[in-house]
Amino acid sequence: MPGRFRVRGIALVVVLWILVLLSITVGIYAILARTEGLQARFLFDETAARYAAEAGIHRAVFEMRSTDMETRWVPDGRPYAMPFGEAEVEIRITDESGKINLNSADAELLTDFFISRGVEELEALHLADAIMDWRDPDDLPRLYGAEIDDYLAAGYPYGPANEDFRSVDELQQVIGMSWELYREVESYLTVHSGRGQINPAFAPAEVLAALPNIDPESAEMFVEERWQFHPADQQALMLPDGQMVNLQGGGRTFSIRSRATLENGIWSEIEATVSLGTDTRGRPFRIQRWRDNIESR
């Protein structure tokens, strides 16, 4: 009898352990199922936000192609909002003529721009001349610039292109340009405007602050005032330096930033540079640059 009770006791313990293991196994599968469900839901929401942001890009192009001057969206960085499904989309458009053109801006404008972004004067002079040397066709370095020998001496496996920048991204290869500074300035630069000077009617405050006699605070105030008007109003505004600005004009190439946010906070952002005009395939615009999920500045 004592032996039989002992066996029964061992069997009970084994059964209890089996039940514990089964409970753990079931719990693990439940956690995995819930995790996979959450991951699937997140992926679904992320995809929905992504396509809502892309819809914002197409809406911006549609509005910019409008023949109605009074309702056409203004490409000066002001925000436009639209609902799309369960997402709220914020769209900002900037005419490329309001940016600094890497291929035509002079050294003074580039220097002043870098200084306005917090770069020390000597470093700004070096960067500006290095950009000029990158795009000019000769091998003669400017006073603060750099040509092939300077690049090789600094350990670069290449030299300046000695031709125009093909994209803003190429600026990262210029000697002295750090990744941190590039991320700070690239949104305000272009290779698509075809202008040597910026167009104040569409320029961001960060670009306006590079102009003589305009400080960042004055530039911000001017942009806020500019947003109160539409080009159809035929309103002229005065810059802090006394220059009169006609709010009309501009080009056919625009940077569009579209950010879609769902009710649960999941978001997706697209930044695209597009040129309006039908191409050889009959498309109403051409994409010059496209980037996903760029952090807002």
Side-chain angles (χ1 to χ4, degrees):
M1 293 296 292
R4 183 180 299 176
F5 286 123
R6 189 179 301 111
V7 171
R8 289 178 178 177
I10 294 174
L12 179 60
V13 172
V14 171
V15 170
L16 290 174
W17 272 110
I18 291 175
L19 289 175
V20 170
L21 292 174
L22 287 174
S23 299
I24 294 173
T25 301
V26 171
I28 290 173
Y29 277 109
I31 292 173
L32 289 175
R34 176 175 173 77
T35 301
E36 290 179 357
L38 292 174
Q39 289 176 338
R41 181 62 190 179
F42 177 80
L43 180 61
F44 177 84
D45 288 343
E46 192 176 49
T47 302
R50 166 67 172 72
Y51 283 106
E54 187 170 333
I57 298 292
H58 288 271
R59 173 68 184 278
V61 171
F62 174 81
E63 296 293 347
M64 293 308 301
R65 286 174 57 86
S66 174
T67 57
D68 188 346
M69 182 65 181
E70 294 186 355
T71 61
R72 185 187 303 162
W73 286 5
V74 185
D76 64 354
R78 66 184 66 185
Y80 290 93
M82 77 168 195
F84 188 85
E86 298 180 357
E88 187 68 23
V89 185
E90 182 184 84
I91 306 163
R92 295 176 183 264
I93 312 168
T94 302
D95 193 304
E96 291 289 284
S97 69
K99 298 183 178 183
I100 297 174
N101 194 317
L102 284 173
N103 291 326
S104 52
D106 58 29
E108 182 179 0
L109 177 57
L110 290 169
T111 300
D112 290 342
F113 171 65
F114 287 126
I115 292 175
S116 72
R117 302 315 299 159
V119 178
E120 295 293 332
E121 182 178 2
L122 183 58
E123 182 183 355
L125 289 168
H126 279 289
L127 285 170
D129 274 3
I131 290 173
M132 302 294 287
D133 279 335
W134 182 276
R135 75 189 196 204
D136 67 26
D138 60 58
D139 290 322
L140 301 175
R142 296 171 181 268
L143 178 61
Y144 298 103
E147 288 289 356
I148 180 66
D149 291 339
D150 302 286
Y151 278 81
L152 296 179
Y156 290 79
Y158 57 84
N162 290 339
E163 62 182 22
D164 282 349
F165 288 85
R166 298 182 180 181
S167 69
V168 175
D169 296 333
E170 194 175 341
L171 179 62
Q172 299 175 73
Q173 301 178 51
V174 173
I175 191 170
M177 176 58 62
S178 67
W179 168 247
E180 291 75 17
L181 179 58
Y182 172 76
R183 292 285 294 141
E184 169 69 21
V185 303
E186 56 95 14
S187 288
Y188 314 117
L189 303 172
T190 184
V191 296
H192 300 293
S193 71
R195 298 175 181 232
Q197 298 297 320
I198 65 171
N199 185 346
F202 306 106
E206 293 82 356
V207 173
L208 291 173
L211 298 178
N213 304 317
I214 300 181
D215 57 66
E217 183 178 356
S218 299
E220 289 283 356
M221 292 176 62
F222 175 81
V223 170
E224 290 179 6
E225 182 184 9
R226 188 180 66 194
W227 285 359
Q228 305 304 313
F229 300 95
H230 190 282
D233 301 333
Q234 297 186 353
Q235 177 76 29
L237 299 180
M238 181 181 292
L239 280 171
D241 64 357
Q243 176 186 351
M244 297 302 298
V245 177
N246 187 336
L247 299 184
Q248 296 182 343
R252 301 284 292 174
T253 303
F254 309 92
S255 289
I256 306 170
R257 183 177 288 245
S258 175
R259 183 184 180 97
T261 306
L262 301 181
E263 293 180 355
N264 58 10
I266 293 178
W267 61 272
S268 183
E269 188 170 85
I270 296 174
E271 184 177 316
T273 302
V274 302
S275 295
L276 302 186
T278 305
D279 63 10
T280 56
R281 298 183 180 181
R283 293 175 296 194
F285 64 95
R286 297 183 300 280
I287 297 173
Q288 306 289 356
R289 193 184 193 199
W290 184 281
R291 296 182 299 167
D292 294 331
N293 292 337
I294 303 302
E295 295 181 2
S296 297
R297 291 174 178 79

